[in-house]
Amino acid sequence: MEDIKFTKQIKADWLKALRSGDFKRNTAQLRSDDEKKHCCLGVLCEIYPQLSIDPNNSNAVANQKQVQGYSVFNQMFGRENTTELWTTNDDSLIDDYSEVIPLIEKLPTVD
C-alpha cells in the first residue's frame, strides 16, 4: 500500500462526504456487511479506495481493522487521533457523524 499523506483536499472531501447524508453511521467496523453503513473511517476508505487493503476492491475495507489494526490511519493522523476518531464514532448515541466532524476539522494536514 502506498504511503498516503493527509492533505487539505482529502480532509475536505472526507468532511463533504460525512456531511452529505449519503452515508449512514456504523459502529464496530469500517463498513457493515450489507455495505449500507460506515464508521467515519470507513467513509474515508470509500471515497479514497487506495486506503483499502486491495485498491482494486473497495469491499476489502470491511475487515481492514482486524487485518491492519488501523495502521494506515495511524500513519495519516497518529495513533491517538485515530483512536479518538473511532471511539467517538462508536460511542456516539447520534445517528450521524456530527460528533466526529469537529475532531476531523482539527486534524493537521501535510500542506
Side-chain angles (χ1 to χ4, degrees), residues 3 21 23-26 28 30 55-56 63-64 72 75 86-87 93 102 106 109:
D3 186 26
F23 296 93
K24 303 297 179 205
R25 193 176 64 82
N26 189 39
L30 294 177
N56 298 315
N63 293 316
Q64 186 172 1
V72 67
Q75 290 171 3
W86 71 258
T87 56
L93 299 176
K106 293 182 200 176
T109 61

Side-chain angles (χ1 to χ4, degrees), residues 5-51:
K5 304 292 185 199
F6 190 54
T7 63
K8 290 178 184 176
Q9 185 62 56
I10 291 174
K11 184 182 202 177
D13 292 344
W14 189 16
L15 289 167
K16 181 179 178 182
L18 291 173
R19 291 179 174 127
S20 71
D22 294 340
F23 296 93
K24 303 297 179 205
R25 193 176 64 82
N26 189 39
T27 61
Q29 60 189 90
L30 294 177
R31 183 176 61 205
S32 62
D33 292 336
D34 63 7
E35 301 182 23
K36 295 183 190 240
K37 294 185 177 183
H38 298 74
C39 108
C40 62
L41 297 168
V43 171
L44 182 59
C45 288
E46 286 295 326
I47 62 171
Y48 282 92
Q50 63 268 39
L51 292 174

Side-chain angles (χ1 to χ4, degrees), residues 41-87:
L41 297 168
V43 171
L44 182 59
C45 288
E46 286 295 326
I47 62 171
Y48 282 92
Q50 63 268 39
L51 292 174
S52 69
I53 296 167
D54 178 357
N56 298 315
N57 178 5
S58 64
N59 292 329
V61 300
N63 293 316
Q64 186 172 1
K65 179 180 178 183
Q66 292 80 12
V67 175
Q68 291 188 286
Y70 280 97
S71 63
V72 67
F73 306 119
N74 291 339
Q75 290 171 3
M76 291 176 72
F77 319 125
R79 185 178 303 275
E80 287 182 23
N81 288 326
T82 299
T83 300
E84 185 176 26
L85 286 168
W86 71 258
T87 56

